[in-house]
Amino acid sequence: MSSTLLEQTRAAHEEVERLERLIVKDFMNEPPSSKDRLYQGHRVRQMIDTITSTTEKLIDIYEDKDNARKDEIAALGGQTATGTNVFSAFYDRLKEIREYHRKHPVARVVDANEEEEALLKEEPQIEFSGEEAFGRYLDLHELYNQYINSKFGEPIEYSAYLDAFSQPQKIPRKLKSARQYKEYMENLLAYLIYFFQRTEPLQDLDRIFLKVETEFEEQWADGKVKGWENEKQENGHVQDQLTMIDLDYYSTVEELMEVGPEKLKEALASLGLKTGGTVQQRAERLFLTKDTPLEKLDKKHFAKGSRGAEQNGVAAAPQQVDNLKEIALLEAKTKKLCDLLTEAIERTKDNIMKKQALTYEEIEAEREEEETQADTESDDDEQQIYNPLKLPMGWDGKPIPYWLYKLHGLGQEFKCEICGNYSYWGRRAFERHFKEWRHQHGMRCLGIPNTKNFNEITSIEEAKELWKRIQARQGVNKWRPDLEEEYEDREGNIYNKKTYTDLQRQGLI
């Protein structure tokens, strides 16, 4: 019964509270798989949207612009045009209730618990292409074809495009003023928004873009937008950009021809005039603008699709600045979305690289395996593994046998700093690793021989200290010619080299 305004208000409040409880209950259940997590996000998103629309209706009711709520409250109090009659209002209301139940004698009472369970098990319809694999990868093939077939794009592979599309600042600025580039950026941004809304339904994209626009306005005013530095200043001087050639310095067409065909072409293009023809024809066409305003020139001089003087001159400068500003804002929003979708972009790159190394049959087999794994993922997670001793997990995801755990001491973890803090589980694996390539490579990098003297040494500092002591000890037994080399004089006396040299210098021998 929602015939009265007050009943509609009560029902709306009840609906909001019910949906809030449902959202809390849904979040209390941890999704077992990424697919279920995505379903949960979209369920909650739909409930939030319903709460928002219901709340807006409640606000309209409470504002009571048509005084309908006020009149209904007055009618409940028995206030009529002839006076106040409470009993009459009561019996009128009672009659209305009886009439309703007479028309609906077998109205089904909905069990709230059953309805909630059905809502929590609902799987929303989410549209993904086959390439996107239910939100795991991006599908940018259409945008890739648009990119490589444009003037601002390059003929690169799709894998290279996945690195390039998120870096629009690397495209030359002179190519960004074309309409083709703006359409490409609009299409790219639209796809990224659509993909983000499907994979991250609980993110507030409006708030994210509001922050991006605020930061962009500040940076644009200061001329610090990446890839568009000093763009505002460059476009502020109309004549610097639009004329490029000061015609006051040239009195004849022949003098203007000395500028060169390229500069003439750029100047004509900036004014919206035709750029074809010989150097003399270009110079003549540009020389016409010296004494004749653009709006008075014949239409035949303007390029196809140009709107004449409306696009040129001082009046067109603000429009061009605004157009460039819109393109820069599109780039800023695209860059922000690419940052938010970094993981998906990286997964897409890895998937493309893997596909290039597989045959079609292998790709299809892997896709079927992923679908089967996704279906059984939730069932496997629901089976709780009994592991009271907290034994390490084996290759099959189950605890290893206890006897194996005790035999090899697998419960002990040994870390070796020389091996790059690599962990070895069990005493046997730790003793064996001193002869493995990882430890040998670490010792070689330290400049220390990997001998048995360094067994049980895992610290780099300890290894260096031991090597210094070994070198010092070896220095004692080292051959020292000054003390150990022997010399004999004429009388047959034996001296070491140092003593013999000193006596010889003194003339005693």
Side-chain angles (χ1 to χ4, degrees):
M1 288 183 61
S2 57
S3 58
T4 64
L5 202 58
L6 292 178
E7 178 61 22
Q8 293 176 11
T9 305
R10 186 206 61 78
H13 279 292
E14 182 183 2
E15 179 71 8
V16 170
E17 293 177 2
R18 186 181 69 87
L19 291 175
E20 288 175 351
R21 289 194 300 269
L22 268 177
I23 291 174
V24 174
K25 190 173 181 179
D26 202 352
F27 276 135
M28 290 176 66
N29 300 325
E30 185 67 24
S33 64
S34 58
K35 189 175 183 179
D36 293 328
R37 188 177 297 108
L38 195 59
Y39 282 147
Q40 184 191 67
H42 279 273
R43 279 197 305 268
V44 173
R45 178 78 262 174
Q46 290 176 2
M47 287 188 278
I48 291 175
D49 292 340
T50 305
I51 290 174
T52 303
S53 60
T54 306
T55 306
E56 291 175 354
K57 293 178 182 177
L58 283 172
I59 292 173
D60 294 337
I61 292 173
Y62 282 119
E63 287 179 353
D64 198 18
K65 295 180 180 179
D66 56 355
N67 293 325
R69 183 172 178 269
K70 182 179 178 181
D71 295 341
E72 188 172 318
I73 294 174
L76 286 176
Q79 296 180 10
T80 62
T82 58
T84 303
N85 190 344
V86 179
F87 293 102
S88 176
F90 171 76
Y91 286 112
D92 289 342
R93 183 62 175 158
L94 181 61
K95 181 181 178 181
E96 183 181 345
I97 294 173
R98 286 176 174 174
E99 184 67 20
Y100 175 82
H101 286 286
R102 187 184 65 79
K103 293 180 178 179
H104 306 86
V106 290
R108 188 176 68 90
V109 179
V110 179
D111 188 354
N113 293 329
E114 292 182 2
E115 187 179 4
E116 288 180 1
E117 291 299 327
L119 282 173
L120 293 178
K121 293 180 181 178
E122 181 186 359
E123 295 183 355
Q125 187 69 24
I126 312 171
E127 294 183 358
F128 285 107
S129 65
E131 184 70 22
E132 289 173 336
F134 213 80
R136 289 177 55 83
Y137 314 118
L138 293 167
D139 185 5
L140 298 171
H141 287 85
E142 291 185 7
L143 294 161
Y144 164 70
N145 292 329
Q146 187 177 351
Y147 177 82
I148 62 175
N149 292 316
S150 61
K151 293 182 179 179
F152 58 84
E154 299 176 355
I156 57 177
E157 295 290 336
Y158 182 66
S159 56
Y161 173 73
L162 293 174
D163 290 321
F165 84 94
S166 60
Q167 300 173 348
Q169 68 274 9
K170 292 186 177 181
I171 298 176
R173 192 189 303 181
K174 61 182 180 180
L175 301 177
K176 295 181 179 181
S177 57
R179 182 174 181 81
Q180 189 181 24
Y181 179 76
K182 186 177 181 181
E183 291 178 353
Y184 163 76
M185 289 303 302
E186 289 174 346
N187 295 336
L188 176 60
L189 181 61
Y191 173 77
L192 292 177
I193 290 174
Y194 183 47
F195 183 84
F196 186 78
Q197 289 174 341
R198 287 178 292 163
T199 55
E200 300 290 341
L202 297 181
Q203 291 282 354
D204 191 350
L205 197 57
D206 293 335
R207 182 178 297 179
I208 294 173
F209 279 164
L210 180 61
K211 184 178 179 181
V212 171
E213 291 172 2
T214 304
E215 295 176 355
F216 173 80
E217 291 294 339
E218 295 176 359
Q219 294 177 357
W220 182 266
D222 298 335
K224 296 180 180 179
V225 178
K226 192 172 182 180
W228 298 85
E229 291 83 355
N230 301 322
E231 182 64 27
K232 182 175 181 295
Q233 181 180 357
E234 292 178 8
N235 289 280
H237 301 283
V238 179
Q239 296 300 325
D240 291 347
Q241 183 181 3
L242 297 182
T243 57
M244 301 179 76
I245 299 175
D246 192 353
L247 299 177
D248 293 336
Y249 291 101
Y250 304 95
S251 56
T252 62
V253 175
E254 288 73 14
E255 294 177 1
L256 189 58
M257 289 172 58
E258 297 177 359
V259 173
E262 292 301 323
K263 286 190 176 182
L264 290 172
K265 183 178 180 180
E266 292 177 2
L268 290 169
S270 65
L271 293 171
L273 300 174
K274 292 181 179 179
T275 58
T278 62
V279 178
Q280 182 177 358
Q281 291 174 339
R282 294 179 185 179
E284 290 175 351
R285 198 177 301 123
L286 182 61
F287 197 75
L288 290 174
T289 62
K290 181 177 181 180
D291 300 318
T292 307
L294 290 173
E295 59 270 13
K296 294 184 179 180
L297 283 177
D298 195 339
K299 292 183 179 180
K300 66 180 181 179
H301 297 297
F302 290 97
K304 185 178 180 181
S306 175
R307 289 178 294 177
E310 292 179 1
Q311 284 187 337
N312 304 283
V314 179
Q319 183 179 355
Q320 288 194 359
V321 174
D322 292 341
N323 185 46
L324 296 175
K325 185 178 179 181
E326 289 178 9
I327 295 174
L329 181 58
L330 290 174
E331 292 183 358
K333 291 181 177 180
T334 302
K335 183 64 178 175
K336 181 62 177 179
L337 283 177
C338 290
D339 293 340
L340 295 174
L341 296 171
T342 302
E343 293 184 4
I345 295 173
E346 292 299 326
R347 285 198 301 265
T348 306
K349 293 178 186 176
D350 296 339
N351 183 49
I352 294 300
M353 296 297 292
K354 184 167 62 175
K355 277 186 175 181
Q356 292 176 348
L358 299 176
T359 62
Y360 176 77
E361 291 76 11
E362 291 173 337
I363 293 173
E364 289 298 321
E366 185 175 354
R367 180 175 296 178
E368 292 177 0
E369 183 180 351
E370 288 180 356
E371 292 177 355
T372 306
Q373 183 178 0
D375 294 337
T376 59
E377 186 179 3
S378 57
D379 298 335
D380 295 340
D381 291 342
E382 289 176 0
Q383 298 176 359
Q384 186 176 2
I385 298 174
Y386 182 70
N387 187 16
L389 298 178
K390 298 182 179 179
L391 300 173
M393 296 295 175
W395 61 271
D396 56 353
K398 298 179 181 179
I400 64 172
Y402 182 72
W403 63 266
L404 185 64
Y405 172 79
K406 294 298 290 183
L407 177 64
H408 297 286
L410 296 178
Q412 296 179 333
E413 180 185 8
F414 298 88
K415 280 192 174 183
C416 182
E417 186 182 3
I418 297 174
C419 299
N421 289 325
Y422 192 83
S423 296
Y424 298 93
W425 291 91
R427 183 70 191 175
R428 179 175 295 184
F430 174 70
E431 293 177 353
R432 193 186 301 119
H433 98 278
F434 290 106
K435 297 180 181 180
E436 294 179 352
W437 67 270
R438 186 179 287 106
H439 191 83
Q440 292 177 354
H441 177 72
M443 295 291 285
R444 194 180 302 114
C445 292
L446 295 175
I448 302 175
N450 188 28
T451 62
K452 62 180 180 180
N453 295 324
F454 294 91
N455 284 358
E456 304 293 330
I457 301 296
T458 60
S459 172
I460 294 176
E461 292 298 328
E462 291 180 4
K464 290 182 177 179
E465 288 295 329
L466 179 58
W467 177 237
K468 288 181 181 179
R469 291 199 299 269
I470 291 174
Q471 286 181 319
R473 186 169 63 251
Q474 289 177 349
V476 177
N477 301 323
K478 194 176 180 182
W479 167 257
R480 292 173 293 179
D482 291 339
L483 300 177
E484 297 177 1
E485 189 176 359
E486 294 181 347
Y487 286 82
E488 184 178 359
D489 62 1
R490 295 178 182 178
E491 298 177 358
N493 299 316
I494 304 298
Y495 306 96
N496 58 34
K497 182 179 179 179
K498 185 177 182 302
T499 304
Y500 182 84
T501 305
D502 292 339
L503 294 174
Q504 192 177 33
R505 287 175 180 173
Q506 296 175 12
L508 298 178
I509 296 179

